[in-house]
Structure formats: C-alpha cells, structure tokens
Amino acid sequence: MRGLIVLLFILATVTIKSNSQYLLPITKHEPTKQFYTTFNIGSSAKSPVNLLLDLGTNLTWLECRKIKFLTSLRLVTCQSSTCKSIPGNGCDNNKSCLYKQPNPLGPNSDITGRVVQDRASISTTDGGKLLSQVSLHHFTFSCSGEKNLQGLAPPVAGVLGLSPGDSSFTKQVTSAFSVIPKFSLCLPSSSSGSGHFYIAGVHYLIPPFDGSNNPIPMTMSPLKDIGSGDYLINVQSIYVDGTPLSLKNPNLLSGGAKLSTVVPYTVLHTDIYNALAQSFTLKAEAMGLIKMSAKAPFKDCFEVSVSKKNMPVIEIGLPGRAGEVKWRFHGANTVVNVMETVVCLAFVDGGKKPKEMMVIGTHQLQDYMLEFDFSRTMFTFSDSLLLHNTTCSTWPSQK
C-alpha cells in the first residue's frame, strides 16, 4: 500500500511538471531591428544577460566576460557525454570541448567557442505574470570572443539558440523540466514594451485574451523539415487581396519559406518579389496610393495620405488539416513608414540566386503569436493581434 502511495505521488509530480510553463521578456532594439531576451546566468540572482533570439542557432554562445558572476562556470571536457551529444563538436589541446557554428549576422563567418555549463534562472508563469524563479542547473552554451559581438545591438552579449537542434536553449529547458516540448514567440513592434517568449506555454494571457475562456485564435500548419536545422513552412501559394500571384516558375515555392528572427524584412527570390510587387502596386494604386521613387533597401514605395491607411492584404497559403489555410499580413506588417506620408512595401529583393527562395523576417512576424511545437512538428500562428486591439507589448503587472 505504501509503495502504491509513493507511485501515485511520483505520477502526480510528473503531471504537475508537465503543466509548468515559463515566460521571458522580449525587447526590440529599434535602431538595429534586433530582438533579444534577458535572463540570469551564473551563481547570482542578479546576473542578467541579454541574448539575441535566433531560430537558426543551435548552441547558445556569448561573451562570457559579460556575465557578472562566473564562480559556477565549468568547462565541458571532450570525453563527456555532453560534448559527444553536440553535433560537430571538437577538442582543443587542453581537451576542452569546442563547438563551431555559423554567425547569424555574418553569413561568411563562424563562431567557435569553448563549451561550458552554468546555472540559468528563468521564471514560471500563469501565462501572463511572472511567478517564481527556477534554475536550469546545467545550462550548456559556449564562450566566444568579443570580436564576434560585431553587428549585435550594444546591449546584447551573444546569441540564444532556438533552432530545432537538441542543444538549443528551448530543448534544454523542456528536457530538464519534463515539460511540453514547444516554445512560442510574440515579437513586439515597439521598443517601449516587452514581448513574450514562452517555453511550454499552455495559456497565453495577453488582454483581452485570458487563455481559457477566450484564447487567442490560432491556426496550425506542419513544419516542413526541422532536420534541416531551420524552421521551414510549406508555401502553396501567395495572394494579394485574394488574387493569387502568377509566377513564371511555380517551383520557386516548393522549397518553402524559412522563418527568421534576425532578418528584419522578408527576403524573396527576384521572380517572387517582382510578382508580389507588381500585384501589390496594382491593388495599391486602385486604392488611391501614388507610386513614389524607391527608398533603399525598398524598391516599391507609395505616397499615402494620413487619413487613408488601408493597404492591400498579403496572404501566404499553407497546408492545414482540412485544406489550405491562410496566414494574413495587413498594413502594419506589409509596409514600413519611411516618411510621414510615404510607405514602402516591406519586402526585399534577394536576387536571382539566393540560398533560400523565401525568408520571412521580423517585420512580418511582429504582433503575431507564433508557436513551434516539436511534439507534433507543427507551426501555429495567430491573426495579427492588432486586429484584436492588442499587441505583443501588452505585459500585465508582475505578481
């Protein structure tokens, strides 16, 4: 009987753990259009580190001298199971574990650093407020040199790995705490408020949504191939105000679209961009917008009166459970203000031979709730929160 009680207690504990969820803030650095989160690394509860969010980085890396308290930092050895579990690991002469991976801000450069472990502290949440602090006792990351910080926003000390790889920050957290293997991002469009970075999110409390009786409406679509190390979605078609784009080569969409938290504006193969720009221009001019000269890096710009803010809607058609679903982008996500009465199509021509045919950037992702679920290999997205008179910057008071 006593054994049964112990078993039931263990099962109850596991159930409680599986319902835990965590919340970190997201800050937008306006001059660089970069997004970073902040949490404590090290032995002190007051050792905050700012790290750039990157969906393409596997192992988190940072300039470790930016951490105030390093008394609990320890090197990972080459022969350890931790080192061996990291794909592409290496060794130095001191038999320390090394790891090399691409620099998200330097396409032709790599980041090499010694693999280390330390404690990381994050907050539990009820979906809206931050509750108690918990510790990830063996957070694995790499220490990099200060020269690798070039291009990063001044407050940022490194890059937080959010890739589908097993060494990513989110995979480490969900594995350590035995919680739902997923994370969610709500990128703020303003630098004056905090966005939301959920791990194992169950309830998303962003007023007026309360998480249970009035949840944020979400749409699901399968991720294309997380084994690639990137988050790719299956693009079936693209529409402007309901009219599908006519592409010379429809196969350009077959590779899908890569989601990025470091590319500021969506980058398209030249043929996709030209078809989108042509269709958008026709619709915009029919609405009374006047074509203007280009404003680099944007090629298609328009004069618009202060009172007339309607813009053509751009939609991406994705596979859903019962046919095609549409991810809709409205004015705030389709254009960018370059002058008081001039807006530009917030998409960039990536040339004829880009590595990826489509890379969806942060301007398009702002003010949407985006969920990456590893257990089902699904990508889930909301409508623009702006359509519900709220934003990702809505952050309730702490408990």
Side-chain angles (χ1 to χ4, degrees):
M1 183 68 179
R2 183 177 180 182
L4 178 61
I5 293 173
V6 171
L7 177 61
L8 291 173
F9 175 77
I10 292 173
L11 291 175
T13 303
V14 170
T15 301
I16 291 171
K17 278 190 174 182
S18 68
N19 288 330
S20 297
Q21 53 185 334
Y22 311 91
L23 176 60
L24 292 88
I26 299 176
T27 302
K28 180 180 182 181
H29 184 256
E30 190 61 51
T32 61
K33 312 297 183 188
Q34 293 177 9
F35 294 83
Y36 62 88
T37 191
T38 306
F39 58 97
N40 294 311
I41 299 177
S43 57
S44 170
K46 295 183 179 180
S47 53
V49 177
N50 299 323
L51 296 174
L52 179 76
L53 300 173
D54 181 29
L55 295 174
T57 290
N58 184 26
L59 187 69
T60 297
W61 61 266
L62 63 139
E63 163 58 287
C64 290
R65 284 176 294 184
K66 297 284 186 180
I67 304 176
K68 293 181 180 179
F69 300 93
L70 292 172
T71 56
S72 57
L73 188 74
R74 52 195 173 277
L75 289 171
V76 173
T77 64
C78 267
Q79 300 305 315
S80 67
S81 58
T82 297
C83 185
K84 292 177 180 179
S85 69
I86 303 173
N89 65 74
C91 299
D92 65 5
N93 294 330
N94 296 321
K95 297 184 179 180
S96 296
C97 185
L98 298 178
Y99 186 63
K100 182 169 73 172
Q101 58 189 332
N103 184 342
L105 299 181
N108 299 315
S109 64
D110 292 326
I111 301 297
T112 300
R114 288 187 176 182
V115 180
V116 297
Q117 289 184 325
D118 207 334
R119 184 188 316 181
S121 300
I122 59 177
S123 293
T124 59
T125 183
D126 61 359
K129 296 183 289 293
L130 300 178
L131 301 178
S132 60
Q133 288 272 310
V134 294
S135 291
L136 179 64
H137 293 288
H138 304 291
F139 172 40
T140 304
F141 56 100
S142 70
C143 288
S144 181
E146 189 172 4
K147 64 179 182 180
N148 294 315
L149 298 181
Q150 280 190 326
L152 289 173
V156 174
V159 175
L160 189 69
L162 300 179
S163 82
D166 290 337
S167 300
S168 68
F169 174 69
T170 47
K171 285 285 189 74
Q172 289 189 52
V173 171
T174 57
S175 176
F177 296 124
S178 300
V179 292
I180 303 169
K182 68 176 181 178
F183 71 96
S184 311
L185 300 174
C186 199
L187 302 181
S189 54
S190 168
S191 59
S192 60
S194 292
H196 299 68
F197 172 21
Y198 292 95
I199 300 176
V202 179
H203 303 297
Y204 304 133
L205 307 185
I206 300 178
F209 302 107
D210 62 13
S212 53
N213 296 325
N214 181 30
I216 297 175
M218 304 282 279
T219 302
M220 298 175 63
S221 185
L223 287 164
K224 186 175 176 64
D225 177 21
I226 61 174
S228 67
D230 291 312
Y231 296 98
L232 301 171
I233 53 176
N234 299 274
V235 178
Q236 297 179 333
S237 49
I238 302 174
Y239 305 85
V240 178
D241 268 358
T243 302
L245 294 190
S246 178
L247 297 174
K248 296 178 182 177
N249 181 9
N251 289 331
L252 290 175
L253 300 181
S254 63
K258 174 182 170 180
L259 301 172
S260 174
T261 48
V262 296
V263 173
Y265 301 98
T266 293
V267 182
L268 303 173
H269 182 283
T270 292
D271 291 349
I272 302 175
Y273 177 85
N274 287 341
L276 178 69
Q278 181 180 16
S279 181
F280 189 91
T281 297
L282 286 173
K283 302 283 186 179
E285 289 180 335
M287 290 179 170
L289 279 69
I290 302 171
K291 192 73 182 287
M292 302 286 289
S293 57
K295 305 286 184 183
F298 309 108
K299 294 175 65 175
D300 293 273
C301 301
F302 307 87
E303 184 178 21
V304 55
S305 65
V306 176
S307 61
K308 190 174 181 63
K309 289 294 184 181
N310 288 336
M311 297 289 163
V313 175
I314 295 175
E315 300 170 308
I316 298 177
L318 306 171
R321 285 180 170 175
E324 187 177 75
V325 296
K326 292 181 179 179
W327 188 4
R328 295 178 174 87
F329 299 95
H330 302 265
N333 298 93
T334 59
V335 297
V336 57
N337 282 85
V338 294
M339 296 173 64
E340 185 177 359
T341 59
V342 177
V343 299
C344 295
L345 182 61
F347 292 75
V348 176
D349 183 348
K352 284 280 191 178
K353 296 182 179 180
K355 183 179 178 182
E356 291 94 8
M357 299 301 103
M358 297 180 62
V359 180
I360 300 179
T362 55
H363 187 81
Q364 279 66 48
L365 301 181
Q366 293 173 152
D367 291 320
Y368 286 83
M369 178 61 73
L370 310 173
E371 184 180 275
F372 302 84
D373 189 333
F374 299 110
S375 64
R376 296 180 292 177
T377 322
M378 298 294 288
F379 171 63
T380 307
F381 56 94
S382 70
D383 295 330
S384 170
L385 297 186
L386 300 177
L387 299 178
H388 300 278
N389 296 317
T390 189
T391 72
C392 287
S393 301
T394 304
W395 188 278
S397 58
Q398 296 185 21
K399 185 173 180 179

PDB file of all heavy atoms in Angstrom, residues 24 37 39 57-60 120 122 136 139 160-163 165 167-174 197 199:
ATOM      1  N   LEU A  24       9.727  34.538 -20.602  1.00  0.00           N
ATOM      2  CA  LEU A  24      10.815  35.508 -20.617  1.00  0.00           C
ATOM      3  C   LEU A  24      10.379  36.714 -21.444  1.00  0.00           C
ATOM      4  O   LEU A  24       9.565  36.578 -22.358  1.00  0.00           O
ATOM      5  CB  LEU A  24      12.089  34.904 -21.218  1.00  0.00           C
ATOM      6  CG  LEU A  24      12.791  33.798 -20.430  1.00  0.00           C
ATOM      7  CD1 LEU A  24      12.215  32.432 -20.796  1.00  0.00           C
ATOM      8  CD2 LEU A  24      14.288  33.801 -20.721  1.00  0.00           C
ATOM      9  N   THR A  37      16.199  38.588 -25.548  1.00  0.00           N
ATOM     10  CA  THR A  37      15.564  38.264 -24.273  1.00  0.00           C
ATOM     11  C   THR A  37      16.598  38.405 -23.167  1.00  0.00           C
ATOM     12  O   THR A  37      17.810  38.510 -23.430  1.00  0.00           O
ATOM     13  CB  THR A  37      14.969  36.849 -24.274  1.00  0.00           C
ATOM     14  OG1 THR A  37      14.144  36.674 -23.106  1.00  0.00           O
ATOM     15  CG2 THR A  37      16.050  35.769 -24.271  1.00  0.00           C
ATOM     16  N   PHE A  39      17.740  36.954 -19.186  1.00  0.00           N
ATOM     17  CA  PHE A  39      17.586  36.095 -18.021  1.00  0.00           C
ATOM     18  C   PHE A  39      18.939  35.987 -17.321  1.00  0.00           C
ATOM     19  O   PHE A  39      19.954  36.456 -17.837  1.00  0.00           O
ATOM     20  CB  PHE A  39      17.034  34.711 -18.381  1.00  0.00           C
ATOM     21  CG  PHE A  39      17.864  33.934 -19.370  1.00  0.00           C
ATOM     22  CD1 PHE A  39      18.779  32.987 -18.936  1.00  0.00           C
ATOM     23  CD2 PHE A  39      17.710  34.127 -20.731  1.00  0.00           C
ATOM     24  CE1 PHE A  39      19.532  32.256 -19.837  1.00  0.00           C
ATOM     25  CE2 PHE A  39      18.462  33.406 -21.648  1.00  0.00           C
ATOM     26  CZ  PHE A  39      19.382  32.464 -21.195  1.00  0.00           C
ATOM     27  N   THR A  57      20.227  29.266 -34.713  1.00  0.00           N
ATOM     28  CA  THR A  57      21.404  28.893 -33.917  1.00  0.00           C
ATOM     29  C   THR A  57      21.077  27.702 -33.029  1.00  0.00           C
ATOM     30  O   THR A  57      20.039  27.668 -32.372  1.00  0.00           O
ATOM     31  CB  THR A  57      21.879  30.086 -33.068  1.00  0.00           C
ATOM     32  OG1 THR A  57      22.444  31.085 -33.931  1.00  0.00           O
ATOM     33  CG2 THR A  57      22.941  29.670 -32.063  1.00  0.00           C
ATOM     34  N   ASN A  58      21.986  26.720 -33.000  1.00  0.00           N
ATOM     35  CA  ASN A  58      21.763  25.515 -32.202  1.00  0.00           C
ATOM     36  C   ASN A  58      22.225  25.713 -30.754  1.00  0.00           C
ATOM     37  O   ASN A  58      21.420  25.727 -29.835  1.00  0.00           O
ATOM     38  CB  ASN A  58      22.497  24.325 -32.836  1.00  0.00           C
ATOM     39  CG  ASN A  58      22.224  23.018 -32.094  1.00  0.00           C
ATOM     40  OD1 ASN A  58      21.183  22.876 -31.453  1.00  0.00           O
ATOM     41  ND2 ASN A  58      23.141  22.081 -32.186  1.00  0.00           N
ATOM     42  N   LEU A  59      23.519  25.914 -30.553  1.00  0.00           N
ATOM     43  CA  LEU A  59      24.047  26.081 -29.200  1.00  0.00           C
ATOM     44  C   LEU A  59      24.238  27.559 -28.899  1.00  0.00           C
ATOM     45  O   LEU A  59      24.910  28.281 -29.644  1.00  0.00           O
ATOM     46  CB  LEU A  59      25.386  25.344 -29.068  1.00  0.00           C
ATOM     47  CG  LEU A  59      25.983  25.293 -27.652  1.00  0.00           C
ATOM     48  CD1 LEU A  59      25.142  24.405 -26.747  1.00  0.00           C
ATOM     49  CD2 LEU A  59      27.427  24.801 -27.698  1.00  0.00           C
ATOM     50  N   THR A  60      23.640  28.010 -27.816  1.00  0.00           N
ATOM     51  CA  THR A  60      23.779  29.410 -27.391  1.00  0.00           C
ATOM     52  C   THR A  60      25.253  29.771 -27.237  1.00  0.00           C
ATOM     53  O   THR A  60      26.045  28.967 -26.737  1.00  0.00           O
ATOM     54  CB  THR A  60      23.060  29.622 -26.055  1.00  0.00           C
ATOM     55  OG1 THR A  60      21.665  29.378 -26.240  1.00  0.00           O
ATOM     56  CG2 THR A  60      23.260  31.030 -25.514  1.00  0.00           C
ATOM     57  N   ALA A 120      21.228  28.642 -15.162  1.00  0.00           N
ATOM     58  CA  ALA A 120      20.392  29.679 -15.778  1.00  0.00           C
ATOM     59  C   ALA A 120      19.091  29.757 -14.992  1.00  0.00           C
ATOM     60  O   ALA A 120      18.515  28.730 -14.629  1.00  0.00           O
ATOM     61  CB  ALA A 120      20.111  29.350 -17.235  1.00  0.00           C
ATOM     62  N   ILE A 122      15.164  31.154 -14.877  1.00  0.00           N
ATOM     63  CA  ILE A 122      14.036  31.675 -15.651  1.00  0.00           C
ATOM     64  C   ILE A 122      12.799  31.666 -14.765  1.00  0.00           C
ATOM     65  O   ILE A 122      12.793  31.060 -13.689  1.00  0.00           O
ATOM     66  CB  ILE A 122      13.793  30.845 -16.930  1.00  0.00           C
ATOM     67  CG1 ILE A 122      13.510  29.381 -16.579  1.00  0.00           C
ATOM     68  CG2 ILE A 122      14.988  30.947 -17.862  1.00  0.00           C
ATOM     69  CD1 ILE A 122      13.192  28.514 -17.794  1.00  0.00           C
ATOM     70  N   LEU A 136      17.831  26.174 -14.179  1.00  0.00           N
ATOM     71  CA  LEU A 136      18.336  25.131 -15.064  1.00  0.00           C
ATOM     72  C   LEU A 136      19.795  24.958 -14.659  1.00  0.00           C
ATOM     73  O   LEU A 136      20.648  25.768 -14.999  1.00  0.00           O
ATOM     74  CB  LEU A 136      18.202  25.588 -16.519  1.00  0.00           C
ATOM     75  CG  LEU A 136      18.702  24.657 -17.617  1.00  0.00           C
ATOM     76  CD1 LEU A 136      17.904  23.363 -17.632  1.00  0.00           C
ATOM     77  CD2 LEU A 136      18.623  25.349 -18.972  1.00  0.00           C
ATOM     78  N   PHE A 139      22.943  24.446 -17.697  1.00  0.00           N
ATOM     79  CA  PHE A 139      22.715  25.095 -18.981  1.00  0.00           C
ATOM     80  C   PHE A 139      24.015  25.058 -19.785  1.00  0.00           C
ATOM     81  O   PHE A 139      25.046  25.559 -19.349  1.00  0.00           O
ATOM     82  CB  PHE A 139      22.245  26.529 -18.754  1.00  0.00           C
ATOM     83  CG  PHE A 139      22.145  27.361 -20.001  1.00  0.00           C
ATOM     84  CD1 PHE A 139      21.651  26.829 -21.194  1.00  0.00           C
ATOM     85  CD2 PHE A 139      22.540  28.699 -19.998  1.00  0.00           C
ATOM     86  CE1 PHE A 139      21.556  27.598 -22.348  1.00  0.00           C
ATOM     87  CE2 PHE A 139      22.446  29.483 -21.145  1.00  0.00           C
ATOM     88  CZ  PHE A 139      21.953  28.917 -22.322  1.00  0.00           C
ATOM     89  N   LEU A 160      21.078  33.539 -28.461  1.00  0.00           N
ATOM     90  CA  LEU A 160      20.347  32.443 -27.833  1.00  0.00           C
ATOM     91  C   LEU A 160      19.906  31.460 -28.908  1.00  0.00           C
ATOM     92  O   LEU A 160      19.183  31.826 -29.833  1.00  0.00           O
ATOM     93  CB  LEU A 160      19.130  32.975 -27.079  1.00  0.00           C
ATOM     94  CG  LEU A 160      18.401  31.950 -26.186  1.00  0.00           C
ATOM     95  CD1 LEU A 160      19.273  31.576 -24.989  1.00  0.00           C
ATOM     96  CD2 LEU A 160      17.064  32.500 -25.710  1.00  0.00           C
ATOM     97  N   GLY A 161      20.317  30.206 -28.783  1.00  0.00           N
ATOM     98  CA  GLY A 161      19.990  29.188 -29.763  1.00  0.00           C
ATOM     99  C   GLY A 161      18.569  28.677 -29.618  1.00  0.00           C
ATOM    100  O   GLY A 161      18.203  28.104 -28.597  1.00  0.00           O
ATOM    101  N   LEU A 162      17.758  28.878 -30.667  1.00  0.00           N
ATOM    102  CA  LEU A 162      16.364  28.435 -30.660  1.00  0.00           C
ATOM    103  C   LEU A 162      16.075  27.475 -31.807  1.00  0.00           C
ATOM    104  O   LEU A 162      14.921  27.263 -32.161  1.00  0.00           O
ATOM    105  CB  LEU A 162      15.417  29.646 -30.763  1.00  0.00           C
ATOM    106  CG  LEU A 162      15.510  30.698 -29.665  1.00  0.00           C
ATOM    107  CD1 LEU A 162      14.515  31.825 -29.933  1.00  0.00           C
ATOM    108  CD2 LEU A 162      15.263  30.094 -28.293  1.00  0.00           C
ATOM    109  N   SER A 163      17.118  26.886 -32.394  1.00  0.00           N
ATOM    110  CA  SER A 163      16.928  26.003 -33.539  1.00  0.00           C
ATOM    111  C   SER A 163      16.238  24.712 -33.111  1.00  0.00           C
ATOM    112  O   SER A 163      16.070  24.454 -31.912  1.00  0.00           O
ATOM    113  CB  SER A 163      18.279  25.663 -34.171  1.00  0.00           C
ATOM    114  OG  SER A 163      18.904  24.606 -33.466  1.00  0.00           O
ATOM    115  N   GLY A 165      17.545  21.932 -33.121  1.00  0.00           N
ATOM    116  CA  GLY A 165      18.576  21.025 -32.625  1.00  0.00           C
ATOM    117  C   GLY A 165      18.429  20.713 -31.146  1.00  0.00           C
ATOM    118  O   GLY A 165      17.888  21.497 -30.369  1.00  0.00           O
ATOM    119  N   SER A 167      20.550  20.736 -28.822  1.00  0.00           N
ATOM    120  CA  SER A 167      21.350  21.563 -27.909  1.00  0.00           C
ATOM    121  C   SER A 167      20.783  22.963 -27.732  1.00  0.00           C
ATOM    122  O   SER A 167      21.355  23.767 -27.001  1.00  0.00           O
ATOM    123  CB  SER A 167      22.792  21.664 -28.429  1.00  0.00           C
ATOM    124  OG  SER A 167      23.389  20.397 -28.529  1.00  0.00           O
ATOM    125  N   SER A 168      19.675  23.257 -28.386  1.00  0.00           N
ATOM    126  CA  SER A 168      19.094  24.599 -28.289  1.00  0.00           C
ATOM    127  C   SER A 168      18.619  24.880 -26.872  1.00  0.00           C
ATOM    128  O   SER A 168      18.364  23.965 -26.080  1.00  0.00           O
ATOM    129  CB  SER A 168      17.923  24.745 -29.263  1.00  0.00           C
ATOM    130  OG  SER A 168      16.829  23.933 -28.855  1.00  0.00           O
ATOM    131  N   PHE A 169      18.490  26.141 -26.568  1.00  0.00           N
ATOM    132  CA  PHE A 169      18.058  26.562 -25.230  1.00  0.00           C
ATOM    133  C   PHE A 169      16.691  25.979 -24.878  1.00  0.00           C
ATOM    134  O   PHE A 169      16.485  25.445 -23.785  1.00  0.00           O
ATOM    135  CB  PHE A 169      18.012  28.090 -25.167  1.00  0.00           C
ATOM    136  CG  PHE A 169      17.459  28.651 -23.889  1.00  0.00           C
ATOM    137  CD1 PHE A 169      18.162  28.538 -22.705  1.00  0.00           C
ATOM    138  CD2 PHE A 169      16.225  29.297 -23.871  1.00  0.00           C
ATOM    139  CE1 PHE A 169      17.653  29.060 -21.514  1.00  0.00           C
ATOM    140  CE2 PHE A 169      15.713  29.829 -22.699  1.00  0.00           C
ATOM    141  CZ  PHE A 169      16.428  29.706 -21.516  1.00  0.00           C
ATOM    142  N   THR A 170      15.759  26.057 -25.818  1.00  0.00           N
ATOM    143  CA  THR A 170      14.407  25.574 -25.532  1.00  0.00           C
ATOM    144  C   THR A 170      14.376  24.069 -25.326  1.00  0.00           C
ATOM    145  O   THR A 170      13.669  23.572 -24.440  1.00  0.00           O
ATOM    146  CB  THR A 170      13.456  25.967 -26.669  1.00  0.00           C
ATOM    147  OG1 THR A 170      14.059  25.647 -27.927  1.00  0.00           O
ATOM    148  CG2 THR A 170      13.160  27.446 -26.644  1.00  0.00           C
ATOM    149  N   LYS A 171      15.150  23.322 -26.096  1.00  0.00           N
ATOM    150  CA  LYS A 171      15.198  21.873 -25.914  1.00  0.00           C
ATOM    151  C   LYS A 171      15.822  21.525 -24.559  1.00  0.00           C
ATOM    152  O   LYS A 171      15.397  20.581 -23.888  1.00  0.00           O
ATOM    153  CB  LYS A 171      16.007  21.227 -27.046  1.00  0.00           C
ATOM    154  CG  LYS A 171      15.287  21.161 -28.394  1.00  0.00           C
ATOM    155  CD  LYS A 171      14.228  20.066 -28.394  1.00  0.00           C
ATOM    156  CE  LYS A 171      13.650  19.845 -29.788  1.00  0.00           C
ATOM    157  NZ  LYS A 171      14.566  19.149 -30.695  1.00  0.00           N
ATOM    158  N   GLN A 172      16.826  22.287 -24.141  1.00  0.00           N
ATOM    159  CA  GLN A 172      17.443  22.035 -22.837  1.00  0.00           C
ATOM    160  C   GLN A 172      16.449  22.276 -21.704  1.00  0.00           C
ATOM    161  O   GLN A 172      16.374  21.496 -20.749  1.00  0.00           O
ATOM    162  CB  GLN A 172      18.675  22.927 -22.652  1.00  0.00           C
ATOM    163  CG  GLN A 172      19.862  22.542 -23.526  1.00  0.00           C
ATOM    164  CD  GLN A 172      21.115  23.320 -23.154  1.00  0.00           C
ATOM    165  OE1 GLN A 172      21.509  23.360 -21.989  1.00  0.00           O
ATOM    166  NE2 GLN A 172      21.746  23.938 -24.147  1.00  0.00           N
ATOM    167  N   VAL A 173      15.668  23.355 -21.821  1.00  0.00           N
ATOM    168  CA  VAL A 173      14.697  23.670 -20.766  1.00  0.00           C
ATOM    169  C   VAL A 173      13.590  22.626 -20.712  1.00  0.00           C
ATOM    170  O   VAL A 173      13.252  22.110 -19.640  1.00  0.00           O
ATOM    171  CB  VAL A 173      14.095  25.079 -20.985  1.00  0.00           C
ATOM    172  CG1 VAL A 173      12.934  25.324 -20.017  1.00  0.00           C
ATOM    173  CG2 VAL A 173      15.162  26.147 -20.800  1.00  0.00           C
ATOM    174  N   THR A 174      13.002  22.299 -21.863  1.00  0.00           N
ATOM    175  CA  THR A 174      11.879  21.357 -21.862  1.00  0.00           C
ATOM    176  C   THR A 174      12.318  19.969 -21.426  1.00  0.00           C
ATOM    177  O   THR A 174      11.569  19.242 -20.778  1.00  0.00           O
ATOM    178  CB  THR A 174      11.212  21.289 -23.245  1.00  0.00           C
ATOM    179  OG1 THR A 174      12.183  20.926 -24.238  1.00  0.00           O
ATOM    180  CG2 THR A 174      10.595  22.629 -23.611  1.00  0.00           C
ATOM    181  N   PHE A 197       8.098  35.537 -24.669  1.00  0.00           N
ATOM    182  CA  PHE A 197       8.807  34.333 -25.084  1.00  0.00           C
ATOM    183  C   PHE A 197       8.409  33.226 -24.108  1.00  0.00           C
ATOM    184  O   PHE A 197       8.848  33.205 -22.974  1.00  0.00           O
ATOM    185  CB  PHE A 197      10.317  34.597 -25.070  1.00  0.00           C
ATOM    186  CG  PHE A 197      11.188  33.380 -25.285  1.00  0.00           C
ATOM    187  CD1 PHE A 197      10.711  32.230 -25.890  1.00  0.00           C
ATOM    188  CD2 PHE A 197      12.523  33.419 -24.900  1.00  0.00           C
ATOM    189  CE1 PHE A 197      11.522  31.127 -26.087  1.00  0.00           C
ATOM    190  CE2 PHE A 197      13.353  32.324 -25.095  1.00  0.00           C
ATOM    191  CZ  PHE A 197      12.854  31.168 -25.689  1.00  0.00           C
ATOM    192  N   ILE A 199       8.029  29.208 -23.012  1.00  0.00           N
ATOM    193  CA  ILE A 199       8.520  27.835 -23.183  1.00  0.00           C
ATOM    194  C   ILE A 199       7.479  26.930 -22.536  1.00  0.00           C
ATOM    195  O   ILE A 199       7.070  27.158 -21.396  1.00  0.00           O
ATOM    196  CB  ILE A 199       9.897  27.637 -22.542  1.00  0.00           C
ATOM    197  CG1 ILE A 199      10.919  28.598 -23.176  1.00  0.00           C
ATOM    198  CG2 ILE A 199      10.371  26.188 -22.713  1.00  0.00           C
ATOM    199  CD1 ILE A 199      12.292  28.542 -22.553  1.00  0.00           C
TER     200      ILE A 199
END
